[in-house]
């Protein structure tokens, strides 16, 4: 499993090759902080999710960067504020 961080104006988004992403407030965080939201790659769009629900492109791919940026502009601030629930499990793990 590989994780790649994307810092946007609204959130810090950490994408995992295992099929999910975590959303944190945009400022620095401690290593053991729990995400405000945990989403599935399908939320980022079909260009980055494979048939097995795992990441279909390289973590440094421009397609992934664009998908994360687009999602963050639309949902990042709401996810950080907790307006979207906790995400895929709807519990804080």
């Amino acid at each position: 499993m590989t994780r790649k961080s994307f810092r946007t104006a609204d959130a810090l988004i950490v994408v995992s090759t295992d099929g999910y992403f975590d959303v944190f407030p945009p400022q620095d965080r401690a290593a053991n902080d729990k995400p405000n939201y945990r989403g599935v790659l399908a939320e980022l769009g079909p260009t980055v999710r494979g048939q097995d629900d795992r990441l279909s492109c390289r973590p440094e791919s421009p397609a992934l960067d664009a998908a994360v940026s687009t999602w963050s502009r639309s949902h990042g601030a709401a996810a950080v504020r907790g307006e979207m629930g906790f995400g895929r499990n709807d519990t804080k793990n």
Side-chain angles (χ1 to χ4, degrees), residues 35-55:
N36 291 46
Y37 180 80
R38 177 168 276 184
V40 293
L41 290 180
E43 292 177 64
L44 299 178
T47 60
V48 298
R49 182 186 65 93
Q51 289 182 344
D52 60 356
D53 290 328
R54 296 172 68 116
L55 191 62

Side-chain angles (χ1 to χ4, degrees), residues 6-90:
F6 297 86
R7 189 171 301 277
T8 70
D10 297 309
L12 171 64
I13 300 175
V14 182
V15 177
S16 169
T17 56
D18 280 354
Y20 67 91
F21 62 95
D22 292 333
V23 180
F24 300 92
Q27 64 270 16
D28 290 334
R29 66 181 183 89
N32 60 348
D33 283 353
K34 302 288 185 200
N36 291 46
Y37 180 80
R38 177 168 276 184
V40 293
L41 290 180
E43 292 177 64
L44 299 178
T47 60
V48 298
R49 182 186 65 93
Q51 289 182 344
D52 60 356
D53 290 328
R54 296 172 68 116
L55 191 62
S56 65
C57 58
R58 294 187 179 270
E60 62 276 355
S61 163
L64 179 59
D65 186 41
V68 169
S69 295
T70 299
W71 187 92
S72 182
R73 278 192 303 276
S74 298
H75 307 289
V80 168
R81 289 189 303 263
E83 295 171 4
M84 296 177 64
F86 297 122
R88 68 182 185 155
N89 298 334
D90 206 32

